[in-house]
């Protein structure tokens, strides 16, 4: 699906026309993957557009930049306001939001420290990442032949643009083999996460998700779903998982800002089955939450028009 064009993109403090949001070919991050970024969603609520956990996403952006020794030349408050302003400027309600901090034009070579730091925020309407059918009926996953990063090779706690080569290799391999999504294992052989989503299974009624030490990003949806599941009365724990834990799971699902909450119906052709009751309950609460229909989680929504 081609990107759906809107009017404006925020670039270094200004709203520029979509078609003018360009960078020089010698932009450092284009060559060395030296940027950090976020993926955020805004949803339609009764009070208009609201950005889901915006402040938490901006904090993670600053954490990612800290890991890469990048000084973002704006405060968190400025970027939070800039996200809201960009959504407003494009008259959007529900949309995807992509802030990126990248090293720009001016220096080349593998020392990034002298490079100028640029910031941009793009927004566009983006439907379900793994498809409506995936959300309803679940997706078919394949364990990738590509491993998740070793944390001493690439910092997995940071959403660095360069590390997504790994996710892309795994995604293409899975799609070419006829699956919807890949699951990557850590160098130690434990289940890590999907290409852009965290993963949960249900085993003996308990909900388990791999820890960051297995190479998973600390997902904001993972955190929201953990809170929702506990509030629904389920036990949730972080646990190292083996691939056979996936094959034999009672239920499984993946979570991410773009993908939202998506059931997993099979892994390597071992059928887990139709989306189960725990997955459904969490999914239903998550979708009601992002629409502002659940009072106890209303503080996760940051309204654009206030
Ligand atoms: N893992 C990876 C590798 C991701 O790129 C993402 C998306 N940011 C996630 C997990 C899910 O994180 P979140 O729920 O914060 O979007």
């Amino acid at each position: 699906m081609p990107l759906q064009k809107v009017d404006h993109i925020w670039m270094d403090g200004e709203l520029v026309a979509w078609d003018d949001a360009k960078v020089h070919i010698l932009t450092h991050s284009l060559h060395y993957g030296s940027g950090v970024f976020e993926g955020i969603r805004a949803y339609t609520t009764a009070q208009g557009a609201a950005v889901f956990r915006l402040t938490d996403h901006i904090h993670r952006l600053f954490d990612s930049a800290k890991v890469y020794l990048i000084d973002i030349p704006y405060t968190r408050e400025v970027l939070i306001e800039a996200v809201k302003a960009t959504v407003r400027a494009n008259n959007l309600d529900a949309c995807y939001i992509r802030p990126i901090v990248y090293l720009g034009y001016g220096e080349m070579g593998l020392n990034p420290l002298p490079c100028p730091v640029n910031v941009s925020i793009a927004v566009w309407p983006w439907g379900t990442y793994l498809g409506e059918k995936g959300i309803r009926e679940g997706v078919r996953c394949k364990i990738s032949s590509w491993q998740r990063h070793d944390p001493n090779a690439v910092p997995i706690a940071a959403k660095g643009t360069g590390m997504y080569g790994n996710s892309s290799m795994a995604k293409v391999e899975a799609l070419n083999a006829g699956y919807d999504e890949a699951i990557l294992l850590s160098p130690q052989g434990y289940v890590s996460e999907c290409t852009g989503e965290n993963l949960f299974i249900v085993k003996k009624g308990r909900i388990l998700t791999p820890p960051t030490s297995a190479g998973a990003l600390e997902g904001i949806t993972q955190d929201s779903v953990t809170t929702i599941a506990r509030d629904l009365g389920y036990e949730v724990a972080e646990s190292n998982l083996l691939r056979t834990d996936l094959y034999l799971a009672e239920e499984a699902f993946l979570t991410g800002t773009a993908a939202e909450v998506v059931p997993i119906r099979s892994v390597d052709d071992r059928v887990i089955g139709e989306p189960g009751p725990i997955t459904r309950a969490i999914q239903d609460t998550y979708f009601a939450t992002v629409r502002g229909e659940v009072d106890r989680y209303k503080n996760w929504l940051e309204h654009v028009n206030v």
Side-chain angles (χ1 to χ4, degrees):
M1 269 268 280
L3 273 168
Q4 199 176 323
K5 187 168 152 179
V6 299
D7 294 337
H8 298 105
I9 292 182
W10 191 95
M11 287 184 91
D12 300 315
E14 282 174 45
L15 287 166
V16 303
W18 176 279
D19 288 333
D20 296 333
K22 292 179 180 160
V23 296
H24 195 277
I25 192 66
L26 293 177
T27 296
H28 189 276
S29 290
L30 184 61
H31 297 253
Y32 301 120
S34 52
V36 294
F37 70 106
E38 269 304 316
I40 316 177
R41 269 191 192 272
Y43 288 92
T44 309
T45 74
Q47 288 80 44
V51 185
F52 189 64
R53 300 193 65 171
L54 171 58
T55 300
D56 293 323
H57 280 282
I58 296 297
H59 285 323
R60 191 171 64 185
L61 183 68
F62 276 78
D63 284 350
S64 297
K66 180 177 181 178
V67 169
Y68 279 89
L69 292 170
I70 296 173
D71 272 330
I72 299 181
Y74 300 97
T75 62
R76 292 162 200 244
E77 292 69 31
V78 165
L79 292 190
I80 288 167
E81 280 314 309
V83 166
K84 294 181 182 175
T86 311
V87 175
R88 272 197 306 269
N90 289 294
N91 288 315
L92 289 169
D93 263 4
C95 62
Y96 186 78
I97 302 164
R98 168 56 55 81
I100 181 166
V101 176
Y102 60 99
L103 303 184
Y105 166 85
E107 296 267 348
M108 202 39 92
L110 281 166
N111 174 14
L113 297 179
C115 292
V117 180
N118 296 108
V119 183
S120 171
I121 302 164
V123 302
W124 65 90
W126 207 13
T128 50
Y129 180 63
L130 293 173
E132 285 295 338
K133 189 164 178 269
I135 288 196
R136 264 194 333 269
E137 296 173 18
V139 291
R140 295 175 60 246
C141 294
K142 176 191 190 307
I143 308 267
S144 187
S145 72
W146 297 95
Q147 260 173 21
R148 206 32 145 184
H149 302 287
D150 181 300
N152 288 318
V154 184
I156 45 188
K159 255 182 98 64
T161 57
M163 66 183 240
Y164 281 82
N166 174 251
S167 287
S168 290
M169 296 306 283
K171 184 81 186 180
V172 169
E173 181 188 69
L175 292 177
N176 282 347
Y179 297 85
D180 304 307
E181 184 54 293
I183 297 170
L184 292 102
L185 305 182
S186 71
Q188 291 73 34
Y190 295 113
V191 175
S192 179
E193 58 177 349
C194 302
T195 59
E197 304 89 16
N198 294 103
L199 179 150
F200 289 80
I201 65 163
V202 178
K203 185 178 178 180
K204 297 192 178 123
R206 291 171 75 217
I207 303 175
L208 303 174
T209 189
T212 50
S213 55
L217 183 76
E218 219 167 289
I220 291 172
T221 321
Q222 181 188 40
D223 180 71
S224 308
V225 158
T226 297
T227 301
I228 287 170
R230 287 191 178 136
D231 290 345
L232 287 170
Y234 299 111
E235 193 186 329
V236 186
E238 285 192 354
S239 171
N240 272 327
L241 302 175
L242 300 170
R243 63 195 293 165
T244 43
D245 290 319
L246 303 176
Y247 295 169
L248 302 176
E250 288 144 32
E251 298 186 29
F253 55 92
L254 53 87
T255 65
T257 298
E260 302 172 302
V261 180
V262 179
I264 297 174
R265 55 183 307 129
S266 68
V267 176
D268 290 345
D269 304 315
R270 276 71 168 184
V271 174
I272 298 169
E274 298 291 311
I278 297 178
T279 305
R280 280 284 179 242
I282 291 170
Q283 233 187 355
D284 290 349
T285 310
Y286 183 79
F287 285 117
T289 296
V290 297
R291 291 193 297 260
E293 293 163 9
V294 185
D295 280 343
R296 75 192 302 175
Y297 308 127
K298 276 198 167 151
N299 58 341
W300 281 341
L301 288 163
E302 300 178 42
H303 292 275
V304 163
N305 288 310
V306 284

